[in-house]
Amino acid sequence: MREVSVIGVGMIPFAKYREKTLAEIGWPAVKAAIEDAGVDKKDIEAAYCGSALGGMMSGQRVLKQLGITGLPITNVENACSSSSSAFRQAYIAVAAGVYDVVLVLGVEKLTKFGGGTLPLEKEDFEVTHGLVMPALYGMRARRYMHDHGLTKEQLASVAVKAHKHGAKNEDAQYRNEVTLEEVLGAREIADPFTLLHCCPSGDGASAVVIASAEKAKQFTTKPVRVACSEVNSGKYMTGFRDMTTPEITVRGAKQAYEEAAIGPDDVDVAEVHDAFTIAELLYYEALGFCDKGESAKLLEDGDTSIGGRIPINPSGGLLSKGHPIGATGTAQIVEVVRQLRGQSGNRQVEGAKVGLTHCTGGGISGFDHGACSIHMFSV
Amino acid sequence: MAQTAENIHEKYPLDGAALRLATDGTPTLIGLECADCGTRAFPPAPVCPECMSENVRDFELPDSGSLYTWSVVHVAPKGWNVPYIAGYVDLPQSVRVFAHIVGVDAADLEMDMAVTLTTTVVGEGENGTVESYAFTPAKG
Ligand SMILES: [Zn+2]
């Protein structure tokens, strides 16, 4: 397998673009990534598009706006892991020597569904019986609070940290700081969560251009190396499972660290899947940034804030930057690549050399999650 | 109250083969038991998720278990009667069931408390009220 590098990234601010089509939301991110890479659109040999709810041929609909057509375009759906799974497919193709330059995009328009909770698969037994995503995470949170003594205030402080970071990110959907009292006092969604414990619904797009390390030299003197690429599916379990241990992330992290020959202590910055406050805490532990039961302390000590030992979600994460499902995976990669290039301005993690992105997707009966992707990058 | 096959289907559109009601209305949950490898799962399905055998049979789940966790749901799609309590119930013989938790104030719920099977109205459908199985704290 060949070494693969990221040579270009781009995204649009996550927001509610009710008046725009999916194609109109998507193309500016793609154009930005191509310009950032310094490639000609004719250099792109294949494209992979991640979208969970964009409908058929999302990639073609976006790319025709820029005349990027006639090449192999593959559309990938893996819920919240859609574009990170698309990235994995692109990575495999370049690493295997099939292509030298490939485009990956993620695009989503959730405003077409109105508001409220994410529409889930209606054939799923638990969904038909009233399972919604906030309740699934809320149940994880309740059990974790019981097992590990996590307080409501500690849980709410995840959102305070997310917004503190997001306020510095011009691509974030919510750029306001929030207080602990505001988080605790917001409208109830699914206990222990108020509205501010939940990622917002919205629209967005993000894109990445990758190339073989050899080919990358033609375009840039500062390529960002892809250190590992992992996508897993959850394990179907019919009986008891510990909902405070996200097994798919634990398993994926072990594989990712082995593949990259990098340990959690070597990671300088990470973007993790904080769809709900409890998720970020569970992932501190699952990704090995702290021991089981220690996540609240890691947060309280400031270790995961910008300036701390291992800043998590400097972009604001899903909670503040927003979570247009299919666009999230590649947007995490955009953030980490910019961090490793030293382009993150007032939210720069100083001296970051190794970055990690983590994205899980899908509430399906019997699974911790349907899918999970973990990528690592280095300079 | 006696239930004919037709009105069970109409009143309990969510549950399908996963719920049986006795003539006195007593509910029983039905799972899958694999005759080849012994795997048990809920809801029932025509094939074993462990060994892929289609030699599976119905399995009557125990009607009491323990509440693993819960959440009070305030925001849900149209049709649901909010707020409701969503929970996971662990039944003996290692089957976990997602269910509404009823007949109790959320403030009185406790982790791992004993709960027992019942039925309840969960929402409004095209044909009137929608009922489903649910769990409620065990008496005593
Ligand atoms: Zn079997």
Side-chain angles (χ1 to χ4, degrees):
Chain A
M1 298 283 269
R2 302 191 297 176
E3 287 261 314
V4 177
S5 300
V6 176
I7 60 170
V9 295
M11 66 181 287
I12 63 164
F14 289 175
K16 297 193 180 199
Y17 297 110
R18 287 190 187 82
E19 71 292 352
K20 290 192 178 179
T21 64
L22 189 82
E24 288 166 344
I25 290 166
W27 72 257
V30 174
K31 185 177 176 186
I34 290 172
E35 289 180 350
D36 183 52
V39 300
D40 189 279
K41 72 178 187 182
K42 293 187 188 66
D43 295 324
I44 296 166
E45 295 161 82
Y48 294 82
C49 175
S51 189
L53 297 156
M56 277 190 247
M57 304 285 128
S58 293
Q60 285 88 333
R61 280 150 56 202
V62 171
L63 294 176
K64 84 170 189 185
Q65 305 278 321
L66 298 168
I68 302 171
T69 53
L71 72 173
I73 299 174
T74 305
N75 292 287
V76 178
E77 186 281 304
N78 232 354
C80 313
S81 306
S82 292
S83 59
S84 49
S85 297
F87 184 91
R88 162 85 175 143
Q89 294 304 309
Y91 168 82
I92 292 169
V94 174
V98 178
Y99 307 120
D100 284 333
V101 180
V102 174
L103 170 73
V104 187
L105 64 145
V107 61
E108 205 76 75
K109 182 181 179 181
L110 296 180
T111 50
K112 72 177 179 183
F113 298 105
T117 59
L118 188 67
L120 297 176
E121 176 52 55
K122 290 189 179 60
E123 285 190 7
D124 186 82
F125 188 83
E126 293 183 354
V127 172
T128 62
H129 282 76
L131 183 67
V132 290
M133 289 309 281
L136 180 60
Y137 280 92
M139 288 192 283
R140 288 182 179 131
R142 272 211 162 275
R143 189 71 211 194
Y144 188 98
M145 292 165 87
H146 174 264
D147 289 357
H148 299 288
L150 177 75
T151 67
K152 280 199 163 191
E153 288 74 19
Q154 288 173 319
L155 186 60
S157 63
V158 175
V160 175
K161 189 267 283 173
H163 280 257
K164 195 166 187 177
H165 289 176
K168 299 174 194 279
N169 183 358
E170 57 194 27
D171 291 328
Q173 186 166 343
Y174 289 110
R175 300 193 58 199
N176 58 312
E177 293 201 21
V178 297
T179 65
L180 195 64
E181 292 68 33
E182 284 171 325
V183 178
L184 292 168
R187 182 162 65 95
E188 289 185 295
I189 302 296
D191 92 306
F193 300 150
T194 65
L195 185 65
L196 288 170
H197 285 260
C198 310
C199 62
S201 179
D203 311 321
S206 52
V208 178
V209 179
I210 65 171
S212 64
E214 191 57 35
K215 186 81 175 176
K217 291 175 191 163
Q218 283 183 26
F219 303 107
T220 178
T221 56
K222 286 186 175 177
V224 172
R225 177 175 166 265
V226 183
C228 72
S229 174
E230 286 290 336
V231 175
N232 282 301
S233 72
K235 283 187 177 166
Y236 177 50
M237 284 178 275
T238 58
F240 176 82
R241 74 197 138 94
D242 175 6
M243 285 177 67
T244 71
T245 300
E247 79 81 20
I248 186 173
T249 295
V250 171
R251 188 157 41 92
K254 186 168 178 294
Q255 291 172 1
Y257 289 135
E258 279 174 13
E259 184 184 328
I262 290 172
D265 291 345
D266 303 318
V267 177
D268 299 314
V269 59
E271 287 278 307
V272 309
H273 196 82
D274 60 330
F276 299 88
T277 47
I278 188 63
E280 175 154 324
L281 298 179
L282 297 181
Y283 296 139
Y284 290 175
E285 298 170 6
L287 292 166
F289 299 141
C290 66
D291 291 334
K292 182 90 183 171
E294 297 294 318
S295 58
K297 184 174 185 310
L298 195 73
L299 177 71
E300 277 176 348
D301 290 351
D303 287 11
T304 56
S305 293
I306 295 168
R309 182 172 66 80
I310 167 71
I312 307 288
N313 290 328
S315 70
L318 281 56
L319 287 169
S320 179
K321 182 180 63 184
H323 183 32
I325 312 299
T328 286
T330 34
Q332 291 179 326
I333 295 172
V334 171
E335 174 69 16
V336 162
V337 166
R338 286 177 177 162
Q339 289 283 354
L340 298 184
R341 288 171 171 176
Q343 295 174 326
S344 298
N346 63 354
R347 64 176 195 287
Q348 179 65 44
V349 175
E350 290 305 326
K353 302 278 184 236
V354 176
L356 180 150
T357 61
H358 160 265
C359 201
T360 63
I364 309 175
S365 300
F367 288 87
D368 170 58
H369 271 103
C372 175
S373 64
I374 297 175
H375 287 93
M376 294 178 70
F377 303 87
S378 64
V379 290
Chain B
M1 181 182 63
Q3 303 276 351
T4 65
E6 293 82 77
N7 77 15
I8 287 175
H9 188 68
E10 207 166 89
K11 280 181 78 178
Y12 295 86
L14 309 178
D15 302 328
L19 178 68
R20 263 184 218 154
L21 293 177
T23 49
D24 67 353
T26 304
T28 303
L29 290 179
I30 306 298
L32 157 160
E33 184 174 56
C34 177
D36 287 333
C37 78
T39 291
R40 291 180 173 132
F42 178 82
V47 61
C48 171
E50 186 63 36
C51 74
M52 301 200 297
S53 170
E54 294 175 50
N55 188 14
V56 295
R57 57 197 172 211
D58 285 354
F59 160 63
E60 292 193 358
L61 270 58
D63 65 2
S64 296
S66 63
L67 181 63
Y68 177 69
T69 187
W70 76 90
S71 173
V72 183
V73 181
H74 297 271
V75 178
K78 194 165 156 268
W80 294 99
N81 293 341
V82 289
Y84 59 87
I85 305 171
Y88 279 112
V89 174
D90 285 336
L91 299 175
Q93 301 171 308
S94 194
V95 176
R96 176 170 288 175
V97 174
F98 175 81
H100 290 239
I101 310 299
V102 298
V104 59
D105 192 296
D108 295 329
L109 288 172
E110 289 173 25
M111 288 288 165
D112 305 316
M113 75 191 300
V115 290
T116 185
L117 186 65
T118 184
T119 57
T120 193
V121 172
V122 293
E124 300 295 323
E126 287 172 7
N127 302 316
T129 59
V130 172
E131 296 195 34
S132 182
Y133 71 87
F135 282 84
T136 190
K139 291 194 174 60

